[in-house]
Amino acid sequence: MHKAVLLQLAATSIAALVAGALFGPRGFVSAIWGGLAYVLPSILFAWRLSVSSWRGENAKAAAFFVGELVKLLSTIGLLALATVLYKDLHWGAFLVGLVLAVKANLFAFLVKTRT
């Protein structure tokens, strides 16, 4: 889970750098907002799962589903907050940052893990 979060952070950083090069500071900040709206709840979700790993199987399943619901609602809230707080939002960069952070999970399976 932590590997996926690190890949999300890397994808958000790449999106921000590319958006900054293409659209200037406005694009850079917008891509950061888009990516972090997904990455921050993912960090909290991964931390919550690691803390609840000592529980029984039923409690782990419940923690997973409740945590996933909280992550989803937090992401929606952060996306809405970004549109309210940052009036100069560049929607293209914002969506690219969000999509790259979401799709970074696909690359987590390609990175080898130590056994």
Side-chain angles (χ1 to χ4, degrees):
M1 188 68 166
H2 299 289
K3 175 177 56 173
V5 172
L6 289 175
L7 286 171
Q8 290 171 359
L9 280 172
T12 300
S13 300
I14 291 168
L17 291 173
V18 171
L22 293 175
F23 307 115
R26 177 179 169 221
F28 179 82
V29 173
S30 297
I32 290 286
W33 269 107
L36 287 183
Y38 189 77
V39 173
L40 292 178
S42 293
I43 291 170
L44 294 175
F45 180 61
W47 174 76
R48 175 82 168 112
L49 283 182
S50 67
V51 167
S52 67
S53 65
W54 56 270
R55 295 180 178 176
E57 291 302 315
N58 289 338
K60 284 183 197 176
F64 177 80
F65 287 111
V66 169
E68 192 64 35
L69 176 65
V70 169
K71 180 177 131 181
L72 176 68
L73 295 175
S74 299
T75 300
I76 292 170
L78 286 172
L79 290 171
L81 187 66
T83 60
V84 170
L85 292 180
Y86 191 55
K87 299 294 182 190
D88 201 25
L89 193 71
H90 188 281
W91 282 97
F94 181 71
L95 292 175
V96 165
L98 174 64
V99 168
L100 284 181
V102 170
K103 293 300 178 185
N105 291 337
L106 296 175
F107 295 109
F109 296 112
L110 298 177
V111 177
K112 272 195 160 182
T113 57
R114 286 186 260 166
T115 55

